[in-house]
Amino acid sequence: MTIRDRLKGVVPHQVTHQVRSSLVRYGERTSDRRPLPDFLITGTKRGGTTSLWRYLLAHPLVPRLFPAWNTKTSHYFEENWGRGEAWYRSHFPTARHRQALERRHGRPARVGEAAPLYMFHPLVPQRVAELLPEVRLIFLLRDPVERAYSHWKERRTEGKEPLDFAEALAREEERTAGEREKLIADPTYFSEAYDWYTYRARGRYLEHLTPWLDRFDRSQLLILPSETLYAEPAATYARVLDFLGLPPHRLAAYEAHNHRRSSAMPAPVRAELSAHFAPHNAALEQRLGMRFDWS
């Protein structure tokens, strides 16, 4: 029985350890037949990356990662860098798979992954530039005030954040002190604190976009307000498809994934965050020549 036969009809959470191990080994053995990705959705966290990724997977020319339980990312460029390029390639469809899609639909397939931490990690832009110099990069930028609160709500729901929002903001620098420097000093280091508790730091977008702007031609970058994706998902999806060189495709519905309802943000906290981000947002708009309606 082939691996394909063994997996047929099995949903990801039902895959046995033995089958999982077989598939992982198969992906690694065939990594030389697996082209590197064409695009990355690199940020921002809590900015609609999961929704956009799922919209793209609904396109007939955008195949899933391999094996099928890999939902949207390998975490290679930030968490798994030490595993090497062959391991990274093992997560993508084979050239044969891509060619089959092209024959069926008459256009080239596009393969990618979505990893919000890629945008924020200090070493990722250079790593991507060296391995994927022609890659297309998609950045979704959400109002940093709302993004910070949504980030905190996610960590709170997951049981990783014991502090209330105001206290978490007040202690952010203390909890993440030295973590960025450790990431830069040790290429194999991964920091949970840098991922979990950077509510304010992640919203200073220009700091994190600048290394990408410095290393890639602007034509390779698509920067979109998350609010546009939320308000106009079909039009935004069409724009992304055009950017990736994919034919138009309409979805039956544009569901918002990972949405979390909650109580309103305390007014004093909102006012403080708005004041904090105002100069950073202005600098971002000036550098990009874009307008973000985050007032």
Side-chain angles (χ1 to χ4, degrees):
M1 180 182 291
T2 66
I3 288 177
R4 183 187 296 272
D5 291 335
R6 294 170 70 184
L7 190 62
K8 192 176 295 181
V10 180
V11 297
H13 70 273
Q14 295 173 328
V15 178
T16 67
H17 176 73
Q18 183 179 4
V19 172
R20 281 177 176 264
S21 298
S22 297
L23 285 166
V24 170
R25 289 195 301 271
Y26 173 73
E28 292 173 343
R29 287 197 308 271
T30 57
S31 61
D32 61 334
R33 307 173 212 167
R34 300 177 181 275
L36 289 166
D38 305 294
F39 70 90
L40 302 175
I41 302 174
T42 56
T44 185
K45 182 174 184 60
R46 306 303 303 162
T49 57
T50 298
S51 294
L52 180 57
W53 173 248
R54 293 190 182 182
Y55 300 162
L56 286 170
L57 283 185
H59 194 286
L61 283 166
V62 181
R64 296 181 65 88
L65 298 183
F66 180 88
W69 62 76
N70 286 313
T71 54
K72 67 177 184 177
T73 183
S74 66
H75 293 291
Y76 175 59
F77 289 103
E78 18 86 334
E79 189 171 355
N80 295 304
W81 180 247
R83 294 178 181 266
E85 182 182 334
W87 182 87
Y88 183 50
R89 286 178 178 270
S90 75
H91 290 77
F92 299 104
T94 61
R96 183 177 180 181
H97 185 181
R98 293 172 64 131
Q99 290 161 3
L101 289 175
E102 182 172 354
R103 288 194 300 271
R104 187 181 310 154
H105 300 287
R107 294 280 291 273
R110 293 289 184 264
V111 173
E113 62 169 339
L117 191 52
Y118 284 177
M119 174 180 166
F120 185 54
H121 192 289
L123 299 180
V124 169
Q126 184 60 35
R127 291 171 174 175
V128 173
E130 291 174 354
L131 185 61
L132 306 172
E134 304 301 322
V135 75
R136 298 231 148 197
L137 300 161
I138 301 169
F139 300 88
L140 288 164
L141 305 183
R142 182 181 182 181
D143 179 341
V145 175
E146 299 296 340
R147 193 222 66 81
Y149 193 44
S150 182
H151 185 171
W152 172 82
K153 287 188 292 182
E154 179 183 66
R155 294 308 182 211
R156 188 81 162 179
T157 301
E158 292 171 346
K160 296 172 181 175
E161 178 53 271
L163 307 180
D164 66 30
F165 188 44
E167 187 178 1
L169 289 171
R171 293 185 57 190
E172 178 174 333
E173 290 191 15
E174 168 197 336
R175 298 164 99 189
T176 61
E179 292 303 298
R180 181 180 176 86
E181 290 74 19
K182 290 178 184 177
L183 290 168
I184 294 171
D186 181 357
T188 64
Y189 180 68
F190 179 75
S191 171
E192 288 183 341
Y194 191 74
D195 183 12
W196 291 358
Y197 304 133
T198 44
Y199 307 115
R200 195 188 302 264
R202 283 206 189 202
R204 296 191 287 263
Y205 296 132
L206 185 56
E207 294 177 18
H208 317 307
L209 278 175
T210 295
W212 300 93
L213 293 166
D214 290 345
R215 288 169 173 81
F216 292 90
D217 189 87
R218 183 63 188 273
S219 65
Q220 293 175 248
L221 279 64
L222 179 63
I223 300 171
L224 299 167
S226 299
E227 292 77 14
T228 301
L229 175 66
Y230 303 149
E232 304 171 4
T236 305
Y237 180 53
R239 185 175 175 188
V240 171
L241 296 183
D242 182 65
F243 174 71
L244 296 177
L246 287 164
H249 181 73
R250 291 193 63 84
L251 305 182
Y254 296 86
E255 181 182 352
H257 295 274
N258 288 347
H259 177 67
R260 284 180 166 83
R261 295 183 179 277
S262 70
S263 58
M265 189 187 316
V269 177
R270 178 181 293 279
E272 189 277 326
L273 277 179
S274 296
H276 171 80
F277 284 122
H280 298 283
N281 295 343
L284 176 72
E285 291 183 335
Q286 183 175 13
R287 174 70 188 270
L288 298 181
M290 294 176 61
R291 172 69 179 164
F292 295 91
D293 187 16
W294 293 336
S295 58

